[in-house]
Amino acid sequence: MLVELSIRDFAIIERLRLTFGPGFNALTGETGAGKSIIIDALGAILGERTGVEFVRAGAPSARVEGVFELPAGGSATLRAILDEFGLRDPDGADEPLILSREITANGRSTARVNGRTVTVGTLAQLGEQLVDIHGQSDHLTLLRPANHIDLLDRYAGLTVAREALSALVGELREIRGRLQRLDRDDRELARRIDLLRFQVDEIDAAKVKADEEEQLLAERRILVSAGRLVDLAERAYRRLSGGGDEAKPTRGALDLLRQVNTLLSELVTLDPTLEELRGSVEEQVYLLEDAAATVRDYRERIEGDPKRLEEIEERLTLLNDLKRKYGATLDEVIAFGANAADELNQIERSGEQAEALREQEAALLEAIGRGAAVLTAKRQEAGERLSNAVEAAIRELNMGRARFATQITATVDPDGVPVGERHLAFDDHGVDRVEFLLAANAGEPLKPLARVASGGETARLMLALKSILSEVDTTPTLVFDEVDVGVGGRSGQVVGEKLWGLTTGTSQHQVLCISHLPQIAAFADSHFKISKQQTDDRTISNVEQITAEERVDELAAMLDGVPLTDASRANARVMLERVAGWKAERRENGRSGKEQSVPSTTRRVKATAH
């Protein structure tokens, strides 16, 4: 549960630290005092979208921190998320969980869990397991039939079974996608086969090697420049070794260097200190002899071969043509050929593949049909129980003799899944379409909620569903933001009873509720008053937990306004005494195992196919 909420520079809240208790926590105050801002701040640490508009004017940043107490043996999903991101100390399983969010004035947002930086998405995953915020806009979700199947499945405990069915539907879609790709037009397929076969044959016939282009270019450069290379090599050799004719012989660098070596040898006989120099010159003689031999051999190897040059030019032309069609490099050409060969092989084997895929498709359709039939049966049974429970709850919420039904329908589709003797349309949820129906007054026919439910009735219906679903809801903290919208004083007490009831029994939720009705606030186990004040031309919101006597004044003000009167205070005390007595009676009934009787109702599930 939420133990503590700290807020700094968030909207009109400058500094605030709230300590919540178990049970029912009510927050009351005048309109505009900042009640919903507290819910917005809580939403920030639960991963909701939060922008710079929430940073208090003039402040560099806004910061919200929440401390949550994790019950022993709590949500396995929550602990799995913490373990996945390394956010829990294995030896400190029952330590508090601290979530924080900081939003700077320049729009940057930083999220942390137990001091470690995480993404906002991680906060959202944790938030779904910690707190369920039910705002005014959530009433509208009840009017959307697309949401009804989720509510029913939660009540029936079918989430895991539905996810398993959804996985099968995903496999079927993949199989059908592959079949669709295989079942293309025959003429288009024939054209594709011809093209692929031509491409594969052309690349195979060329026998392309990845590095041959560089080798061919190097060889071509030599052949094109053969005459020039021979001339340069000859001249270099003559400069090294000498040559020329008998009339005009030339001396090369080697001859001159040998003479220098001879002279140095004579010098060494007179001055041995020159031996090192003579050795160096002699070494250079050997190196030049090797160089001259290398140049000579190179000159003799070079031959002008016009035929070979022509072959190289033809080969390079072929390779360039292949690159123009199949890739910028020879590596890409080779890869293109391999891919084309693979595709050709797959197409040629498509008949075998299609047959295997159709067998898989048929098996998946049968499995989905069986799974959908099981879901339908469980939804019909749960729908009857839910309808009976909601009718009992809405009678307690002063909706008179209103009737509620869970309508479950299916659509016949020849391409659907087999269920019994029919084929039905399906999706990830199965074959069922679920819609809640309401007859707000006696004698009226059942109609979709959106067509008959008023704002107040919708709010009470949502509360009724919430109280029923809370028995299967593992989220420890439930937040209701002005759930009393459209609810009058006559129904306020019953709404308060329902909210307090969420904190008892097997569910044992912590409830936080923002309310304008004293009949609801009177049921709180902890009562917080929200007010605003102006300081130095700035509006600041303040929240404080009020004492028993202060509760009397707050409820009196909610009942009859200000200034307070003795009569309004007396009415507030009577209200608190009546609520205390009602709570005591319910606690005693809970300890003794007594249960309130629930009037029997007729079957409220409609199952049809059209």
Side-chain angles (χ1 to χ4, degrees):
M1 71 174 186
L2 178 61
V3 178
E4 186 176 280
L5 182 66
S6 300
I7 306 172
R8 186 199 72 196
D9 294 329
F10 191 92
I12 62 173
I13 297 176
E14 183 178 26
R15 292 285 189 281
L16 184 63
R17 183 183 296 273
L18 293 173
T19 301
F20 296 105
F24 184 9
N25 297 261
L27 294 91
T28 62
E30 61 182 287
T31 301
K35 299 186 295 297
S36 293
I37 292 175
I38 294 175
I39 304 302
D40 291 333
L42 178 59
I45 60 171
L46 300 177
E48 293 185 4
R49 185 183 297 274
T50 306
V52 295
E53 66 273 13
F54 287 103
V55 179
R56 185 169 174 267
S61 64
R63 179 178 172 81
V64 184
E65 181 177 278
V67 180
F68 294 85
E69 183 180 278
L70 303 182
S75 169
T77 303
L78 174 62
R79 297 188 187 280
I81 296 172
L82 293 172
D83 290 339
E84 177 184 356
F85 295 102
L87 300 173
R88 184 167 68 98
D89 183 357
D91 298 327
D94 298 327
E95 290 183 356
L97 184 65
I98 302 174
L99 276 59
S100 67
R101 182 94 172 268
E102 184 171 9
I103 306 100
T104 64
N106 60 10
R108 296 186 61 185
S109 175
T110 303
R112 291 185 174 86
V113 176
N114 289 346
R116 291 188 54 185
T117 303
V118 299
T119 65
V120 175
T122 302
L123 277 189
Q125 289 185 56
L126 294 171
E128 289 178 357
Q129 305 299 318
L130 294 169
V131 180
D132 183 2
I133 297 181
H134 178 70
Q136 298 177 46
S137 61
D138 290 341
H139 297 165
L140 301 178
T141 65
L142 186 58
L143 303 181
R144 301 189 186 106
N147 297 322
H148 296 174
I149 194 168
D150 293 326
L151 292 170
L152 178 60
D153 285 351
R154 282 176 56 195
Y155 177 73
L158 295 177
T159 304
V160 174
R162 196 175 83 178
E163 288 176 352
L165 183 74
S166 178
L168 292 177
V169 173
E171 290 182 39
L172 178 65
R173 286 173 179 159
E174 182 183 356
I175 294 295
R176 286 183 165 178
R178 292 169 62 184
L179 274 171
Q180 191 174 24
R181 290 191 292 272
L182 289 174
D183 292 340
R184 288 180 291 187
D185 181 78
D186 290 341
R187 285 174 295 181
E188 178 188 347
L189 202 59
R191 287 193 295 268
R192 183 63 179 168
I193 289 174
D194 287 343
L195 175 61
L196 289 170
R197 185 169 289 123
F198 171 80
Q199 293 170 336
V200 170
D201 290 346
E202 184 177 31
I203 295 173
D204 285 348
K207 300 186 184 305
V208 179
K209 297 179 182 178
D211 59 350
E212 70 170 307
E213 187 175 25
E214 294 181 0
Q215 296 175 359
L216 289 172
L217 289 172
E219 187 177 356
R220 185 180 69 172
R221 283 195 299 271
I222 292 174
L223 290 172
V224 168
S225 306
R228 176 65 174 163
L229 293 173
V230 169
D231 179 60
L232 291 173
E234 177 64 26
R235 290 167 61 187
Y237 180 71
R238 288 184 179 179
R239 294 295 189 278
L240 286 170
S241 299
D245 52 29
E246 295 180 359
K248 191 178 180 180
T250 59
R251 305 184 68 182
L254 270 171
D255 290 336
L256 296 173
L257 195 57
R258 289 188 186 106
Q259 289 180 11
V260 171
N261 189 44
T262 300
L263 294 172
L264 287 175
S265 295
E266 293 181 8
L267 282 171
V268 168
T269 60
L270 300 174
D271 185 357
T273 61
L274 296 175
E275 175 58 32
E276 184 177 352
L277 176 60
R278 187 206 63 78
S280 296
V281 172
E282 185 176 36
E283 184 178 353
Q284 297 304 317
V285 171
Y286 297 145
L287 290 174
L288 279 181
E289 288 176 346
D290 290 341
T294 301
V295 172
R296 183 191 64 227
D297 293 342
Y298 175 79
R299 179 198 62 191
E300 293 174 354
R301 285 200 312 271
I302 294 176
E303 295 181 4
D305 187 348
K307 184 177 181 180
R308 175 57 183 161
L309 181 59
E310 183 179 351
E311 292 174 354
I312 291 174
E313 293 292 356
E314 290 177 356
R315 183 63 176 174
L316 288 172
T317 299
L318 174 62
L319 295 179
N320 285 329
D321 187 49
L322 292 175
K323 289 194 299 180
R324 179 177 56 82
K325 291 190 286 186
Y326 304 124
T329 66
L330 293 184
D331 284 328
E332 292 181 12
V333 172
I334 295 171
F336 186 96
N339 293 334
D342 288 342
E343 184 180 353
L344 182 60
N345 183 54
Q346 290 179 10
I347 292 176
E348 290 174 341
R349 294 177 54 245
S350 60
E352 300 174 10
Q353 293 181 8
E355 185 63 28
L357 290 173
R358 288 190 180 94
E359 290 178 2
Q360 294 180 46
E361 179 187 30
L364 283 170
L365 284 170
E366 291 287 342
I368 292 170
R370 290 192 299 271
V374 172
L375 283 178
T376 298
K378 292 183 177 180
R379 283 169 179 156
Q380 289 174 348
E381 188 273 333
E384 182 177 359
R385 288 189 289 109
L386 179 63
S387 297
N388 292 337
V390 171
E391 283 195 348
I394 60 181
R395 276 195 293 274
E396 293 174 358
L397 288 167
N398 293 335
M399 289 182 67
R401 295 175 60 188
R403 291 183 297 135
F404 181 91
T406 303
Q407 178 178 267
I408 301 175
T409 61
T411 302
V412 175
D413 182 356
D415 297 324
V417 295
V419 179
E421 297 180 355
R422 301 174 300 171
H423 281 73
L424 303 178
F426 68 98
D427 58 16
D428 290 351
H429 302 98
V431 298
D432 302 319
R433 299 294 176 271
V434 176
E435 185 170 10
F436 296 148
L437 307 178
L438 180 71
N441 299 295
E444 293 182 359
L446 290 163
K447 295 180 182 179
L449 294 184
R451 294 173 53 187
V452 295
S454 67
E457 288 168 337
T458 304
R460 282 177 281 177
L461 271 175
M462 179 59 82
L463 180 58
L465 283 169
K466 205 73 175 178
S467 64
I468 294 167
L469 293 174
S470 69
E471 297 297 327
V472 295
D473 191 350
T474 59
T475 309
T477 299
L478 305 178
V479 179
F480 294 89
D481 184 6
E482 299 188 8
V483 71
D484 52 17
V485 170
V487 177
R490 293 183 179 181
S491 302
Q493 177 171 334
V494 183
V495 173
E497 292 173 0
K498 287 292 181 185
L499 290 172
W500 185 82
L502 295 175
T503 68
T504 62
T506 58
S507 57
Q508 294 280 317
H509 293 287
Q510 178 194 41
V511 172
L512 277 63
C513 178
I514 289 176
S515 178
H516 292 285
L517 287 179
Q519 291 89 345
I520 294 176
F523 280 86
D525 300 308
S526 301
H527 192 154
F528 298 84
K529 179 181 177 181
I530 305 174
S531 60
K532 63 179 180 180
Q533 59 187 26
Q534 289 189 347
T535 304
D536 297 330
D537 297 326
R538 295 292 300 274
T539 300
I540 297 176
S541 181
N542 184 52
V543 183
E544 58 181 347
Q545 185 171 1
I546 55 179
T547 64
E549 190 59 32
E550 290 170 333
R551 286 192 73 193
V552 172
D553 288 348
E554 176 67 6
L555 293 179
M558 295 173 72
L559 280 167
D560 199 31
V562 291
L564 299 178
T565 64
D566 292 340
S568 64
R569 286 192 175 98
N571 285 335
R573 288 192 178 94
V574 170
M575 180 182 294
L576 288 170
E577 290 172 0
R578 184 173 64 249
V579 168
W582 183 89
K583 285 183 179 181
E585 180 182 351
R586 292 306 181 276
R587 291 191 183 100
E588 182 60 32
N589 288 339
R591 282 191 293 268
S592 63
K594 295 179 181 178
E595 294 183 1
Q596 289 182 297
S597 61
V598 177
S600 61
T601 57
T602 58
R603 182 178 177 85
R604 296 300 183 191
V605 178
K606 295 184 177 182
T608 61
H610 55 80

